[in-house]
Structures are given as C-alpha cells and as structure tokens.
C-alpha cells in the first residue's frame, strides 16, 4: 500500500507526541510500547519502522521535547522577556499540574540518570543549550557569573517543580513554588 507524501513523518511525529506525553505523565519505565502505539492509533509492528528500540524513542523524545523548550527560550530572548517572567511561568501551579505537557527535565530527570550514555549525552547537550540561553536573559554580572546564575536558577526551578509535584499537601506544594520563585529571582538579580 502506498501512502501520501509526508505520511511517514506524520506517523513518526504522532508516536513522538504520544510517547512524550505518556513519559512525562507516568514515567519512562511505567510506559510500554503497546500503550504508546495504541494511543497513536498504530500497530505495535509499525513502531520498528520508525525507531530501533524503546531507548531510541526515549532519546528522540528528549531531544524533541527539549528542542521545543529551547525554542521557547530563544523566543523569550528575542522578545525581551525578562528571566523573572520565565521563572514565574515555570514555577506556576499550571505547570506543576500539567506534567504531561510540561518540562521534560522536571518530569524525567531522575529516570534519565539511569539511562545509557547516548541518552544522557543528548539530554546533557540540550540542558547546556537551555542554560546558555537563560544566562543571556540575565542582566547582572559577567558572562561567567550569568552562566553560574543560570545553572543555579534552572536547578532550583527543576528541583522545586519536582518537589511540588511529589508532596500531597497542596499548601506545602504552593509554598515550595512561591519560595523557589523568590529564590530564583534573587539569584538572577544578585550583583
């Protein structure tokens, strides 16, 4: 059977999108290929037309999802969005409550640490790119100081978002986010 031009790319994109949402919502280990393919409306056999293995899919999902976040950071930089706005958006209750569509770093970082070198290398490269862009948004300090601030801010944001999702006390969760916002902004504005 012949398919229209672009069918293969559309199918691959659908698999990536479904896997990305499922991985972020439930975790990589908890998600099986059969569930991904079923939600994508495809057979299990079709998976191997697009990916060599689940690990290959994980790596591609990370690269894709982090590239999209990187594009948001580039747009923020081009549009003069202050780093404080980025911090507040990231550490919002909307982001906390939307793991399936949120930052893949916060949703998956603990699992990524246990994956093979190639997956971790892809992740590392994208995280480095994002922190570089974040450093460009910071106005205070030398290039080296802005880089260190960006790493501290990103680490604070990711950790706070993870912790706010893990606790079962909404008030404490909100406090974690609010305090992390204050701390990250203080880091950004420190001389």
């Amino acid at each position: 059977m012949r398919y229209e031009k672009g069918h293969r790319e559309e199918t691959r994109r659908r698999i990536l999108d479904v896997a990305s949402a499922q991985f972020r919502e439930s975790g990589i280990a908890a998600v099986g290929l059969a569930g991904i393919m079923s939600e994508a409306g495809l057979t299990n056999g079709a998976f191997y037309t697009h990916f060599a293995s689940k690990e290959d899919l994980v790596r591609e999902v990370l690269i894709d999802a982090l590239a999209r976040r990187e594009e948001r950071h580039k747009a923020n930089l081009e549009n003069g969005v202050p780093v404080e706005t980025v911090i507040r958006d990231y550490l919002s209750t909307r982001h906390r409550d939307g793991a399936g569509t949120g930052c893949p770093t916060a949703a998956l970082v603990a699992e990524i640490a246990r994956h093979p070198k190639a997956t971790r290398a892809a992740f590392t490269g994208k995280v480095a790119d994002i922190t570089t862009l974040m450093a460009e948004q910071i106005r205070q300090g030398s290039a080296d100081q802005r880089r260190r601030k960006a790493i501290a801010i990103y680490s604070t944001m990711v950790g706070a978002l993870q912790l706010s999702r893990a606790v079962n006390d909404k008030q404490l969760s909100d406090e974690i986010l609010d305090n992390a916002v204050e701390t990250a902004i203080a880091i950004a504005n420190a001389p």
Side-chain angles (χ1 to χ4, degrees), residues 21-97:
Q22 287 188 9
F23 289 162
R24 287 186 249 188
E25 192 68 39
S26 302
I28 296 165
V31 174
L33 295 180
I36 292 169
M37 298 306 285
S38 176
E39 187 174 327
L42 300 164
T43 64
N44 290 353
F47 174 83
Y48 294 100
T49 302
H50 302 279
F51 303 97
S53 64
K54 182 178 178 183
E55 191 62 35
D56 183 34
L57 174 63
V58 168
R59 191 171 37 261
E60 291 300 317
V61 162
L62 284 172
I63 290 168
D64 180 67
L66 288 168
R68 289 179 185 205
R69 291 213 63 88
E70 184 180 358
E71 288 305 314
R72 287 180 62 190
H73 281 281
K74 285 179 184 176
N76 287 340
L77 190 58
E78 290 169 6
N79 294 317
V81 175
V83 72
E84 291 85 357
T85 302
V86 173
I87 292 166
R88 289 182 193 286
D89 181 57
Y90 192 97
L91 293 171
S92 66
T93 56
R94 176 198 48 77
H95 192 195
R96 176 196 62 204
D97 298 343

Side-chain angles (χ1 to χ4, degrees), residues 38-182:
S38 176
E39 187 174 327
L42 300 164
T43 64
N44 290 353
F47 174 83
Y48 294 100
T49 302
H50 302 279
F51 303 97
S53 64
K54 182 178 178 183
E55 191 62 35
D56 183 34
L57 174 63
V58 168
R59 191 171 37 261
E60 291 300 317
V61 162
L62 284 172
I63 290 168
D64 180 67
L66 288 168
R68 289 179 185 205
R69 291 213 63 88
E70 184 180 358
E71 288 305 314
R72 287 180 62 190
H73 281 281
K74 285 179 184 176
N76 287 340
L77 190 58
E78 290 169 6
N79 294 317
V81 175
V83 72
E84 291 85 357
T85 302
V86 173
I87 292 166
R88 289 182 193 286
D89 181 57
Y90 192 97
L91 293 171
S92 66
T93 56
R94 176 198 48 77
H95 192 195
R96 176 196 62 204
D97 298 343
T101 58
C103 176
T105 302
L108 302 172
V109 71
E111 284 187 90
I112 294 165
R114 296 178 192 96
H115 279 259
K117 286 182 182 180
T119 300
R120 291 180 66 205
F123 176 76
T124 299
K126 287 298 180 190
V127 167
D129 293 343
I130 289 169
T131 55
T132 296
L133 289 168
M134 188 175 274
E136 291 180 40
Q137 285 184 281
I138 298 170
R139 303 292 175 227
Q140 303 276 347
S142 67
D144 183 56
Q145 289 170 324
R146 291 191 317 269
R147 175 179 162 70
R148 285 184 292 151
K149 287 180 183 184
I151 291 169
I153 291 167
Y154 193 58
S155 300
T156 299
M157 290 175 11
V158 169
L161 189 61
Q162 287 181 299
L163 194 56
S164 74
R165 287 176 177 165
V167 300
N168 66 357
D169 178 332
K170 185 182 179 320
Q171 182 178 346
L172 177 58
S173 179
D174 291 345
E175 285 181 86
I176 291 166
L177 293 176
D178 292 343
N179 286 300
V181 166
E182 289 177 25

